[in-house]
């Protein structure tokens, strides 16, 4: 036998084997699955035996259940591994796996005891008991709702057991991994985004369990989530976690704790059935049972503190609806290693509902506390554990009353779970606890509230009469009749009566149009909506609804003078010597719509002859494409189509006959008289007059400014700050430049056929940028570095 001085020996290591001495006994360690022949330790050295005497003294391992795994080399005195050891087969899920062995030697006869600890290696991957899990989840499930998932089983222990779970990426669910103890890790599926069965009826997920080994091993289970098309309420537990204690000698049928879940539905949908969740076949749960109707958890079998000091139970509350929905809670039961009686708390009378705003001292419940012990062990003190607006008053001996002791506000807290504890004065003192749920009933102390003070609504013109243009909704934090909201329209003295424009459904809040709106006549109007609850007295609040009419393409383009005469043919003359790009005419048109519906483009329809002309799609300018030839016609009839960009597009046409004359002297500028209707001066004419005057003033001011700047500045005075200029050249192209080193003001021989537009630059440019708009309506952008030299850009 090795003495205690042997503890100071050097640890012997050979192929993952360890050696130590505990309380004078030799203890070796060897990893499971080590190869046969692996040296475990030197018995001769550790037992202080002479190696030469081992064979003579017949040193051997005494036959036993663990002898088959080990052998002794009597020539060297080493303990060898005879066959592979599977720790999970020998010790199961026990955290420590120790094999006790004995060896004897004769002459003299001695017996030696030693132990071999089998160390766990990560040779087992986590496994789920089922390869696939099917979950039925209602599409009415709210975010935050939890669903139980099966736990993976790993035959390894310690750090090699299951340590974490991971869920495949998805947009609806997340994973909440919780630790239930030293070896217990489980996961719950948490809904993050509301489900929609019509969009995705089935969701496929993969749950991966990972152990703590190096390298880690994993196991997976496929989860098929079927989205059920129901809209019921989920049962709600009064507490997410219940804790209680029970003595180990409690007989079967002893009440442990009562869990309670409320379901806001009625009938079968509101009836709750309680059950345990035991995916992992935990034997501790078999010692308890739950009443499916009341939720009371009671003792079913024999409890043993030495076997298990605590039990963790996951409880499910499921309603009896056609499509049942469930909620989950956790109950932690501590098994106390005592044999005395604990105080018992019973509620003899309970007022379930208390009005918010009740006065202090209002009685809620009568409580009786009993302890079968006598003397000080039976003297009981009852108190409230959590911070709630209630107090306990001792009425008589072991009779207590629960009273209101603070302000109750149902909107802040709809119910209170009052945790009470009764403690005797024994040594050590014993106690028991219970939870009383008190619901706060509602009074009408909150008006309906709109989510926003102002609501903007956009409605297309020409919409159908009676269509719902918007639905307003107000929320009242009260319940019942106090929260039932009706809607009405308020007349405003600042605007015309809105009752001729819209109407509102008093129950749903749907705002209906009473007429078809015209964007050109009315672009916006305001409606005030009042929401009133049904409480006594009723409370109300208002919201302003701004209705904006959106334009539709319901107006065709209008051709402006001098080409606006309907059914007439207009004539323009050009010389035979006209070059390519010669300006012929310019078509102008307007559209009463707005936005893209008023964005006009110009095209030549049904070209005849040699297709001699082209038109700028955005400018409406008609120019020659090439020089004249003897084969060209003398008269070229053109049909110009002006189209807007709406859907569907609307258009207008104008006819022009272009006559080729021999010399420029034959060309006379024709001034057509545009007849004005005598009956009225239209708004369109007024807008055009204002626009022409404004453009003329801006042009004159810009031209004067450019001349003044050119006369006063030096070569480098404006090298950094410039005004962008857009110039229309005689060939129909436009030039845009941010550099003002040199200014070009271009006019053709006919002043009516030239345009100059000058735009001011809001910020000094970092560099010079030149954008050219060619005659074919194509854009060319050139980037140049800033300089003080004069830059002249001319596009042909």
């Amino acid at each position: 036998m090795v003495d205690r001085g042997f503890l100071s020996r050097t640890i012997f290591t050979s192929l993952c084997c360890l050696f130590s001495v505990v309380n004078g006994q030799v203890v070796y360690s060897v990893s499971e699955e080590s190869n046969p022949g692996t040296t475990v330790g030197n018995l001769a050295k550790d037992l202080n035996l002479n190696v030469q005497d081992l064979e003579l003294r017949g040193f051997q391992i005494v036959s036993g259940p663990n002898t088959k795994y080990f052998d002794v080399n009597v020539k060297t005195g080493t303990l060898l591994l005879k066959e592979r050891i599977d720790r999970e087969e020998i010790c199961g899920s026990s955290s420590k796996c120790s094999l006790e062995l004995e060896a004897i030697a004769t002459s003299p006869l001695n017996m030696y005891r030693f132990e071999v600890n089998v160390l766990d290696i990560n040779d087992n991957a986590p496994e789920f008991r089922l390869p696939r899990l099917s979950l039925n989840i209602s599409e009415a499930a709210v975010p935050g709702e939890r669903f139980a998932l099966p736990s993976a089983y790993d035959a390894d222990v310690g750090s090699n057991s299951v340590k974490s779970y991971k869920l495949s990426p998805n947009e609806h669910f997340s994973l909440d991994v919780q630790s239930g103890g030293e070896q217990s890790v489980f996961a719950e599926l948490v809904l993050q985004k509301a489900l929609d069965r019509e969009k995705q009826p089935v969701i496929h997920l993969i749950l991966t369990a990972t152990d703590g080994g190096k390298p880690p091993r994993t196991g997976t289970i496929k989860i098929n989530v079927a989205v059920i098309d129901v809209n019921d309420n989920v049962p709600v537990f009064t507490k997410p976690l219940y804790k209680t204690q029970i003595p180990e000698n409690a007989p079967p049928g002893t009440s442990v704790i009562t869990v309670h879940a409320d379901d806001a539905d009625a009938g079968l949908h509101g009836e709750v059935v309680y059950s345990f969740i035991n995916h992992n076949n935990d034997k501790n749960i078999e010692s308890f049972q739950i009443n499916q109707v009341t939720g009371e958890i009671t003792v079913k079998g024999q409890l043993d503190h030495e076997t298990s000091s605590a039990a963790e139970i996951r409880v499910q509350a499921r309603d009896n609806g056609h499509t049942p929905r469930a909620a989950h809670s956790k109950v932690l039961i501590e098994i106390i290693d005592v044999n005395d009686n604990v105080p018992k708390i019973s509620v003899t009378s309970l007022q379930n509902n208390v009005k918010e705003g009740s006065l202090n001292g209002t009685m809620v419940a009568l409580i009786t506390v009993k302890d079968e012990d006598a003397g000080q062990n039976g003297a009981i003190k009852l108190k409230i554990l959590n911070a709630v607006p209630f107090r306990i008053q001792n009425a008589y001996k072991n009779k207590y009353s629960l009273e209101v002791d603070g302000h109750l506000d149902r909107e802040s807290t709809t119910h209170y779970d009052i945790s009470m504890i009764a403690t005797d004065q024994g040594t050590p003192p014993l106690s028991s606890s219970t939870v009383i749920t008190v619901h706060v009933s509602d009074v009408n102390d909150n008006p309906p509230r709109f989510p926003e003070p102002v609501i903007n609504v956009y409605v297309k013109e020409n919409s159908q009469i009676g269509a719902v243009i918007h639905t307003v909704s107000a929320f009242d934090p009260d319940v019942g009749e106090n929260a039932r909201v009706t809607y009405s329209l308020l007349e405003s003295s600042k605007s015309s009566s809105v009752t001729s424009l819209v109407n509102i459904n008093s129950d749903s809040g749907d705002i209906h149009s009473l007429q078809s709106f015209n964007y050109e006549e009315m672009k916006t109007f305001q409606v005030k909506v009042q929401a009133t609850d049904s409480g006594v007295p009723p409370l109300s609040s208002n919201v302003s609804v701004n209705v904006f009419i959106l334009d539709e393409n319901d107006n065709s383009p209008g051709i402006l003078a001098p080409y606006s005469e309907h059914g007439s043919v207009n004539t323009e003359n050009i010389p035979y010597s006209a070059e390519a790009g010669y300006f012929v005419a310019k078509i102008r048109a307007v559209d009463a719509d707005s936005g893209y519906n008023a964005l006009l483009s110009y095209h030549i329809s049904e070209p005849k002859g040699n297709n001699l002309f082209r038109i700028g799609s955005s400018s409406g300018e008609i120019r020659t494409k090439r020089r004249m030839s003897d084969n060209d016609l003398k008269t070229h009839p053109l049909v110009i189509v002006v189209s807007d960009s709406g859907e569907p597009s609307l258009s207008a046409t104008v006819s022009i006959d272009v006559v080729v004359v021999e010399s420029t002297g034959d060309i006379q500028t024709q001034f057509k008289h545009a007849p004005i209707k005598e009956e009225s001066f239209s708004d369109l004419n007024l807008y055009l007059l204002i626009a022409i005057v404004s453009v003329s003033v801006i042009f004159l001011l810009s031209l004067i400014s450019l001349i003044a700047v050119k006369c006063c500045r030096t070569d480098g005075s404006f090298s950094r700050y410039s005004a962008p200029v857009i110039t229309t050249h005689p060939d129909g192209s436009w030039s845009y430049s941010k550099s003002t080193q040199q200014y070009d003001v271009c006019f053709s021989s006919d002043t009516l056929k030239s345009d100059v537009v000058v735009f001011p630059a809001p910020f000094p440019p970092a560099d010079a940028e030149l954008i050219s708009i060619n005659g074919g309506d194509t854009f060319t952008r050139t980037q140049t570095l800033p300089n003080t030299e004069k830059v002249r850009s001319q596009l042909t």
Side-chain angles (χ1 to χ4, degrees), residues 138-141 195 198 228-234 265 269 323 325:
S138 169
E139 66 174 333
L195 302 175
E198 289 72 23
I228 302 175
D229 189 16
V230 293
N231 291 314
D232 295 333
N233 292 286
V234 180
D265 296 327
H269 294 164
T323 305
R325 301 182 67 181

Side-chain angles (χ1 to χ4, degrees), residues 179-493:
S179 176
E182 183 178 355
Q183 298 290 336
S184 175
V185 177
F186 65 92
E188 287 185 335
L189 199 64
V190 182
L191 183 62
Q192 296 293 332
K193 181 180 178 182
L195 302 175
D196 190 344
R197 188 194 64 85
E198 289 72 23
K199 292 183 178 179
Q200 190 174 7
V202 179
I203 300 174
H204 301 284
L205 304 173
I206 297 178
L207 178 64
T208 304
T210 307
D211 60 24
K214 295 182 179 180
R217 292 174 176 265
T218 60
T220 60
I221 183 174
K222 294 182 179 179
I223 303 175
N224 293 334
V225 180
V227 183
I228 302 175
D229 189 16
V230 293
N231 291 314
D232 295 333
N233 292 286
V234 180
V236 179
F237 279 95
T238 56
K239 295 175 63 176
L241 175 65
Y242 295 84
K243 295 182 180 180
T244 189
Q245 298 175 338
I246 189 169
E248 63 177 343
N249 60 350
T254 301
S255 177
V256 180
I257 195 172
T258 299
V259 296
H260 181 71
D262 293 316
D263 195 320
D265 296 327
L268 292 177
H269 294 164
E271 295 179 4
V272 179
V273 178
Y274 302 90
S275 62
F276 289 157
I277 299 175
N278 188 12
H279 287 307
N280 213 24
N281 296 327
D282 189 358
K283 293 183 179 180
N284 292 329
I285 299 180
E286 297 177 358
S287 300
F288 302 91
Q289 63 183 2
I290 187 169
N291 189 308
Q292 294 185 352
V293 179
T294 64
E296 182 183 22
I297 300 176
T298 56
V299 178
K300 178 182 178 182
Q302 184 65 38
L303 302 179
D304 188 1
H305 174 80
E306 286 71 27
T307 302
S308 178
S309 60
E312 178 181 327
I313 303 176
R314 300 176 67 190
V315 181
Q316 174 179 275
R318 179 176 55 84
D319 59 30
N320 286 325
H322 177 70
T323 305
R325 301 182 67 181
H328 306 88
S329 181
K330 185 167 63 175
V331 180
L332 296 179
I333 303 174
E334 181 183 2
I335 302 174
I336 304 173
D337 189 18
V338 294
N339 292 320
D340 297 330
N341 296 292
V342 296
K344 297 180 180 179
I345 303 173
S346 60
V347 180
T348 57
S349 178
L350 175 62
Q351 184 178 352
N352 289 326
N353 296 317
V354 180
K355 286 187 177 181
E356 58 178 329
S358 296
L359 299 177
N360 291 350
T362 301
M363 184 177 295
V364 178
L366 292 177
I367 305 168
T368 302
V369 182
K370 294 182 179 180
D371 194 318
E372 295 181 0
D373 297 326
Q376 290 295 320
N377 292 332
I380 302 169
K381 291 183 179 180
L382 181 66
K383 63 179 181 179
I384 297 176
L385 289 176
N386 49 347
V388 292
F390 296 93
R391 67 189 178 193
I392 291 179
Q393 296 289 342
N394 183 242
Y396 176 75
K397 291 185 179 180
N398 62 339
K399 305 290 184 180
Y400 298 86
S401 62
L402 180 64
E403 300 176 352
V404 176
D405 187 33
H407 177 66
L408 301 180
D409 186 4
R410 190 205 66 82
E411 287 71 35
S412 299
T413 307
T414 58
H415 68 278
Y416 293 91
D417 297 325
I418 305 173
S419 300
M420 295 181 294
I421 184 171
T423 308
D424 60 27
Q425 299 183 15
T427 304
L430 302 177
S431 63
S432 64
S433 61
T434 188
V435 177
I436 295 178
T437 301
V438 177
H439 296 272
V440 182
S441 59
D442 182 55
V443 297
N444 192 27
D445 56 348
N446 292 279
R449 296 172 186 158
F450 289 96
E452 296 178 352
V454 178
I455 299 174
N456 294 328
V457 179
Y458 300 90
V459 182
K460 290 184 178 181
E461 66 172 330
N462 305 321
S463 59
Q464 184 178 1
I465 298 177
V468 177
I469 64 174
H470 188 72
T471 300
V472 296
S473 178
F475 171 72
D476 196 318
D478 296 323
V479 295
E481 288 296 314
N482 297 332
R484 190 169 66 86
V485 180
T486 57
Y487 303 91
S488 61
L489 297 178
L490 294 179
E491 291 289 346
S492 176
S493 59

